[in-house]
Amino acid sequence: MGDLDGYGYGEVVVGLPGEDVGTAKNAGGVLIFKGRATGITGADTKVIGQSTADVPGVDEQGDAFGGEVHAVAGAKNVPATLASAAPGENTDQGGLWLFKGSRTGPAAKGGVSFGEASPGVTPSAVRFGNWLG
């Protein structure tokens, strides 16, 4: 949970790593339930996954996108950043995506992804991002 849109109410973030997307079994996704003064409802729920426009990557079987999700608090008066892992990405190498908070919630445009190979490490089946907390 975290204030991902800067309006002062916490959004609830739920990972769906077992969600099928089209023919990609267990591709996964993330639900963001909008926080309001009256509480959380299903209205205006946002979904982010690798099939979302501007999100790096593509849905693949077993990615488990949303296997770990966290709202990372920003500086005062700055919306939180959404961190989402897909531990099954690239045949269990794993990956992590970061989406900056904005007035409309986590922004897919400008989101970044990285994995074990990003800093130059030879990739292996470590399920990078499997434990974020």
Side-chain angles (χ1 to χ4, degrees):
M1 185 167 176
D3 185 5
L4 297 165
D5 61 13
Y7 285 103
Y9 306 104
E11 279 63 58
V12 174
V13 181
V14 178
L16 301 169
E19 185 73 14
D20 297 343
V21 180
T23 60
K25 302 264 185 229
N26 301 320
V30 177
L31 292 176
I32 299 101
F33 294 93
K34 185 161 179 53
R36 303 188 159 134
T38 57
I40 302 292
T41 71
D44 301 320
T45 298
K46 188 172 187 174
V47 179
I48 292 181
Q50 288 182 286
S51 58
T52 303
D54 299 316
V55 171
V58 296
D59 290 311
E60 299 164 314
Q61 184 168 319
D63 279 352
F65 190 88
E68 284 280 328
V69 292
H70 291 276
V72 182
K76 187 175 182 180
N77 298 322
V78 175
T81 295
L82 172 63
S84 177
E89 177 75 6
N90 295 334
T91 317
D92 291 337
Q93 290 175 14
L96 179 66
W97 283 253
L98 299 173
F99 304 101
K100 289 176 74 174
S102 72
R103 284 297 187 191
T104 59
K109 188 172 182 119
V112 296
S113 68
F114 55 95
E116 187 181 20
S118 299
V121 175
T122 302
S124 61
V126 295
R127 297 181 62 82
F128 187 84
N130 199 36
W131 295 281
L132 296 180

